[in-house]
Every structure is written in structure tokens, then in C-alpha cells.
Amino acid sequence: YCNIRREHDRTTIYGIKNICRNKKLSFKNKILNIILFRMLNSVRSFEQVDDFPYDFENIDWKEVKNQKFKDNVMFHTAFIMTGIALGVSRKYKIKKADYYHIVKTVYDENKTADEIIKAESPEEVYKICKTLTGTGDFLAYQLYLDFTYCPEFKFGENDFVHVGPGSKKGIDFLF
């Protein structure tokens, strides 16, 4: 599928409504929830989490640890394509990434959220996002774009672009 405008995508609409435009969340909590949201990339999963989006300063770890998902499916199929599962598994030396360890991974990125808020350029935000556990070029750019939907974010979606391999081939072909 391909939407002309990313904000028309069902998953992005959910993120904008429930995280980016959520007046109850601090900007830092918006950043951390966006990271978590894109790690799972599943509206269906987050609709099952009672206290999502999280206030990471007051998170109920018992609730997180006991979170169950319908049909035991918490990840969107896109999750399989990323390095998040492997990165989280390696970080905690566990056999398989679970919800608790993914939320814990995001919680551990607290200082990274501060760096994103203080970043001087869109490129710097993108590079910071690439340092997140299991995140590569594609997801780092998706995170940057999600941040642009937050009114507090000082950069816009037109301030920076990361060209993926498919687009690069097309540009090289044309020029």
C-alpha cells in the first residue's frame, strides 16, 4: 500500500491522536511513547493496553509485566522486518523479546529522549534515533516523521528526508 500523505495511514492516525496530540503527556513522554508505538507498530495491540500511552515517570511495571494480548499477538508483521526483536533479546539475554522487555528498553532510552528534544538539526535527531536498540535507517526516519506530528517538535517533515534504497535507485536512474 502507499498513501500519498503518511498521516492518512491508519497506524499513523492512531499515533497522532493518542500520543502526539495528547495534552496529558509531556513532550518527553510523547517521544518515548512514539518509540514504543513504532517498535510494535500495532494499533490492535495498543488498544488492548489499558494505560497506554504511558507516563514513563510513573509506570506500573507489574501491569506491564502482566499485559496479555489477544491470540498472543502483540507485534505487527512489520515487526519481523526490523531488528528490534533481536536487539531486545540480545540486550536482556533472553530467548524471545516480550512486551515487558520492549517497554523496559524504551524506558532505558530516557536520556535519548532528552537528546532528541535538545537536538540542533533534523539530521541530528535522525542519527540519535539510529542509536536506539534495534533501529536502522528506515525506522529512524519513521520515528523522525512521527515526532513532526507533535506540536512541541521544532522540526517539520519537510526539513529532512532520508532516501531509502528503492528511491535512491529511482533517482540514480533519472539522473
Side-chain angles (χ1 to χ4, degrees):
Y1 83 100
C2 182
N3 288 313
I4 294 171
R5 300 283 305 161
R6 188 168 178 270
E7 66 267 18
H8 298 299
D9 168 76
R10 185 176 83 90
T11 304
T12 303
I13 290 169
Y14 181 89
I16 291 170
K17 179 182 171 204
N18 293 286
I19 303 170
C20 300
R21 303 275 163 79
N22 187 331
K23 295 181 191 291
K24 295 177 184 175
L25 294 176
S26 68
F27 185 35
K28 183 174 182 175
N29 272 313
K30 288 180 183 183
I31 289 172
L32 292 169
N33 278 287
I34 287 168
I35 294 167
L36 175 61
F37 183 66
R38 284 300 172 187
M39 282 186 161
L40 299 186
N41 205 40
S42 173
V43 170
R44 179 178 173 212
S45 295
F46 286 108
E47 287 174 338
Q48 298 175 54
V49 179
D50 289 334
D51 47 353
F52 183 80
Y54 293 115
D55 173 355
F56 279 90
E57 294 165 15
N58 298 302
I59 199 162
D60 183 342
W61 288 106
K62 185 177 178 184
E63 287 281 323
V64 172
K65 196 161 193 121
N66 293 326
Q67 179 65 48
K68 303 287 184 231
F69 294 94
K70 186 177 181 184
D71 302 324
N72 288 323
V73 176
M74 71 174 154
F75 304 113
H76 186 277
T77 52
F79 181 85
I80 298 164
M81 302 297 286
T82 67
I84 294 165
L86 183 60
V88 170
S89 298
R90 285 180 177 168
K91 179 177 180 170
Y92 293 103
K93 296 176 178 52
I94 55 177
K95 192 172 187 175
K96 183 179 175 189
D98 57 21
Y99 185 69
Y100 170 80
H101 286 96
I102 290 172
V103 175
K104 181 88 172 82
T105 297
V106 174
Y107 178 81
D108 292 345
E109 304 291 358
N110 249 302
K111 68 176 179 49
T112 305
D114 291 331
E115 291 172 9
I116 289 168
I117 291 168
K118 294 175 186 169
E120 299 284 328
S121 70
E123 294 86 354
E124 185 178 351
V125 172
Y126 171 75
K127 287 177 183 174
I128 293 166
C129 288
K130 283 183 61 170
T131 69
L132 296 167
T133 301
T135 303
D137 292 344
F138 178 79
L139 187 55
Y141 185 60
Q142 296 304 303
L143 290 169
Y144 171 82
L145 289 175
D146 283 341
F147 300 151
T148 68
Y149 299 122
C150 295
E152 304 91 335
F153 193 58
K154 58 187 166 188
F155 307 111
E157 67 178 314
N158 294 324
D159 293 336
F160 176 74
V161 67
H162 172 75
V163 179
S167 297
K168 183 167 178 1
K169 284 181 185 176
I171 292 168
D172 290 345
F173 176 77
L174 290 171
F175 299 101

